[in-house]
Amino acid sequence: MSEPFELRKPSFNFVYNPTTTTTTSTSSRPTATAITGTSFSFGQAAFSSCASTSSNTLETEKNSAEETNTFLFPEWVKLKTPRAKFKAEQTKTQGGVQKNLHLKEKSQWRKMEWTEERKINLMKSIKSYSPDREGVNQARVLLLGPVSSGKSSFVSSVHSVFNGRVTNRAMVGSYTSGFTKKLQSFNIGSERGEPTGLVLCDLMGLRDGQMTGLSLHDILSVIKGHVPDGHKFHPHQPFDTQTVGYVKRPSLKDRIHCVAFVVDATKILSYPQGLRQTFHQLRKYISDLGVHQVALLTHVDRICQETNEDVSHVYKSKIVGSMMEKAGALLGMSTSYIVPVKNYSSELEVDLSTDVLLLTAADHILQYAHLYFQDSAPEDSCAKMI
């Protein structure tokens, strides 16, 4: 298109008539075609792109404006920028899901490769992982979060990636009370039940700012390795030294080496204030044990339409980026510890972009679990966790 218009000294009257598609002029300049459907008028205003402006040029500008449906004549004049740069960021709300216009033109605010090669490399990295510590073959990661935040769904979704089809390995609930009532451990990337280097531990969810059926002591007991796998928690029976199965002196392999908090992107703004306090309290005590923490922001496909249509747009979405910042405030952690996740729910077949996002989350968790082994000296690990 032509160079941006410049305001000049008025030389003719420009009057908009909503009943016609032409503009009348009091000068001898060529008549310009007006833009149909716009309601405005300019008294004593003239526009020129160079020494002269032909009606054909203005007709071209009109067609360009109608194609994008974003043309507002006063703003166009004020910006004095090329038409391509006029495509400002806009956000629409459609059925409760926000939509970013021109999302495909944006660059990712986190670099990510959405390729089959990237997926294969991540799968190999996770399956081949082994802690650099004698006597420890697995990194145990505890998933903590509110009821229905997507903890069990994440476990099943990661399993689905390695299986090549969508399966529900962990029991997944669709109601507010949640399904998980006991401590369950799942080998990730296992073939025929063989142990692998990553184990995800699922625990009952938190609700209404309170730890439903779990006390702070219960959670810390799990992290320290005192709670045996498969133990079922009861609301009125706190786990203690008299509980059947209590592990008196857990070894390093019995303990939790990383905690992953799981929060629902669709509920970040509606979580009760008490839940924020619970998270901050948990983080303080867990940090005192030397255990690193990360976070998963689930259901990001439900807050951004483009991400829902194509998961590879997740790191282009300002909506997702903004919600990650709010999740960071809720949890009291930097967004560098948080990764967005889309779990498989109604799908029957796996998707490449979704697989890459899930595997990236699992790999992110492993990196911080590995830091635990690097940070804790062999001679100090037993004393720290007792």
Side-chain angles (χ1 to χ4, degrees):
M1 76 174 264
S2 61
E3 292 297 320
F5 286 106
E6 298 289 340
L7 288 175
R8 303 184 53 178
K9 180 178 179 180
S11 60
F12 68 98
N13 291 327
F14 188 93
V15 181
Y16 176 71
N17 185 346
T19 62
T20 182
T21 60
T22 61
T23 304
T24 59
S25 171
T26 60
S27 73
S28 59
R29 292 181 180 273
T31 299
T33 302
I35 299 175
T36 305
T38 310
S39 178
F40 61 85
S41 66
F42 282 78
Q44 301 297 322
F47 307 93
S48 175
S49 63
C50 197
S52 63
T53 302
S54 66
S55 59
N56 291 334
T57 302
L58 291 178
E59 183 69 24
T60 302
E61 300 300 340
K62 183 200 74 171
N63 293 337
S64 176
E66 289 178 341
E67 289 176 0
T68 60
N69 292 320
T70 58
F71 179 75
L72 296 175
F73 201 85
E75 283 76 2
W76 187 13
V77 174
K78 293 175 184 178
L79 286 174
K80 296 184 181 181
T81 57
R83 189 69 183 91
K85 293 184 179 180
F86 178 69
K87 293 181 179 180
E89 295 296 333
Q90 300 181 57
T91 303
K92 290 183 179 179
T93 301
Q94 299 180 351
V97 179
Q98 295 188 35
K99 181 177 181 180
N100 290 343
L101 299 184
H102 315 301
L103 192 63
K104 293 182 179 180
E105 300 176 5
K106 295 181 181 178
S107 59
Q108 297 184 116
W109 40 270
R110 271 188 188 172
K111 293 183 178 181
M112 178 74 72
E113 295 180 4
W114 306 92
T115 63
E116 185 70 27
E117 182 182 4
R118 172 63 175 167
K119 172 184 172 179
I120 294 174
N121 289 337
L122 284 169
M123 292 178 69
K124 289 181 179 179
S125 176
I126 294 170
K127 291 177 67 173
S128 64
Y129 174 77
S130 178
D132 187 19
R133 186 60 60 85
E134 185 179 353
V136 182
N137 300 319
Q138 299 173 312
R140 291 171 55 83
V141 177
L142 178 64
L143 302 178
L144 278 180
V147 172
S148 300
S149 59
K151 300 183 302 298
S152 298
S153 293
F154 176 71
V155 174
S156 293
S157 294
V158 176
H159 266 295
S160 297
V161 177
F162 284 95
N163 291 335
R165 58 188 178 87
V166 178
T167 57
N168 287 325
R169 176 71 183 276
M171 291 293 290
V172 179
S174 58
Y175 50 87
T176 57
S177 62
F179 261 130
T180 307
K181 301 296 182 184
K182 60 183 180 180
L183 177 63
Q184 295 176 290
S185 299
F186 300 91
N187 287 301
I188 299 302
S190 63
E191 297 178 357
R192 301 177 182 177
E194 298 175 358
T196 59
L198 175 61
V199 175
L200 296 180
C201 303
D202 196 9
L203 197 60
M204 63 194 312
L206 313 179
R207 184 174 61 182
D208 298 331
Q210 302 296 324
M211 286 164 278
T212 307
L214 291 175
S215 65
L216 175 62
H217 174 76
D218 289 336
I219 294 177
L220 296 180
S221 294
V222 171
I223 295 173
K224 294 177 180 180
H226 294 299
V227 182
D229 190 40
H231 174 79
K232 186 175 182 179
F233 291 91
H234 298 277
H236 306 295
Q237 297 179 10
F239 188 88
D240 56 27
T241 57
Q242 303 303 314
T243 303
V244 176
Y246 179 85
V247 181
K248 186 176 181 180
R249 295 188 63 83
S251 63
L252 183 61
K253 65 182 180 63
D254 299 320
R255 298 163 189 155
I256 296 298
H257 310 122
C258 179
V259 171
F261 291 102
V262 184
V263 290
D264 185 344
T266 66
K267 300 177 182 179
I268 290 294
L269 301 180
S270 61
Y271 280 138
Q273 182 64 29
L275 187 60
R276 177 192 296 261
Q277 298 172 355
T278 298
F279 279 132
H280 288 209
Q281 184 182 32
L282 281 170
R283 292 206 62 230
K284 178 182 181 301
Y285 282 98
I286 295 172
S287 296
D288 288 343
L289 296 176
V291 178
H292 292 275
Q293 302 133 65
V294 297
L296 307 179
L297 182 65
T298 61
H299 302 150
V300 292
D301 53 308
R302 300 181 186 178
I303 63 172
C304 175
Q305 182 172 329
E306 279 72 20
T307 301
N308 180 50
E309 295 172 354
D310 188 344
V311 180
S312 66
H313 288 161
V314 65
Y315 285 126
K316 295 180 180 180
S317 172
K318 287 188 175 181
I319 300 169
V320 174
S322 175
M323 203 59 68
M324 285 181 61
E325 292 179 356
K326 292 178 174 60
L330 173 71
L331 296 166
M333 64 170 57
S334 167
T335 54
S336 62
Y337 296 99
I338 306 173
V339 289
V341 167
K342 176 190 182 301
N343 290 327
Y344 287 115
S345 55
S346 60
E347 300 87 349
L348 296 179
E349 300 294 333
V350 295
D351 168 74
L352 175 60
S353 296
T354 303
D355 286 354
V356 171
L357 196 63
L358 287 164
L359 291 171
T360 300
D363 183 68
H364 179 73
I365 290 172
L366 265 182
Q367 301 305 314
Y368 283 92
H370 189 67
L371 285 178
Y372 172 80
F373 298 112
Q374 292 182 330
D375 294 344
S376 58
E379 61 271 16
D380 296 334
S381 58
C382 292
K384 181 183 292 185
M385 302 295 286
I386 294 296

